[in-house]
Amino acid sequence: SILTGTLNQIHQVNSERSKKRRELRIFLQTRKIPTELTMRIMSYADYKSARHSPVSYDSNMISPMLEAELATVMFGSIL
């Protein structure tokens, strides 16, 4: 079903994101990067990962009212 496919895609994206995050953390640890800098780098990596998610949606699949509510939740703090 579409729901199962979507859930599988989300799981795959999350797994890949976790793998990249883990690899970055190990890279920084093995090079003995200071903790403060490591935390800043990891925080920025999390930010970039969340902002550039390959998971998207087709706006034709939801009603205009739901689309407006979604935009408010996603971008309300920016507006």
Side-chain angles (χ1 to χ4, degrees):
S1 78
I2 293 174
L3 179 59
T4 302
T6 302
L7 290 174
N8 286 336
Q9 183 182 12
I10 291 170
H11 177 70
Q12 183 179 3
V13 167
N14 286 338
S15 293
E16 184 63 29
R17 189 176 290 162
S18 293
K19 179 182 174 190
K20 287 181 179 182
R21 190 178 195 287
R22 186 173 48 254
E23 289 172 352
L24 176 59
R25 183 178 40 79
I26 291 169
F27 172 84
L28 296 169
Q29 286 176 338
T30 58
R31 282 155 183 81
K32 301 191 183 337
I33 304 301
T35 303
E36 181 184 346
L37 180 56
T38 296
M39 289 172 45
R40 289 174 39 219
I41 291 170
M42 295 304 295
S43 178
Y44 185 77
D46 290 341
Y47 163 77
K48 290 291 282 189
S49 180
R51 298 284 293 178
H52 299 287
S53 175
V55 176
S56 61
Y57 79 101
D58 180 355
S59 63
N60 294 323
M61 295 179 68
I62 64 174
S63 72
M65 183 162 296
L66 286 174
E67 188 172 14
E69 187 175 344
L70 176 61
T72 301
V73 169
M74 289 176 58
F75 305 113
S77 61
I78 297 171
L79 303 173

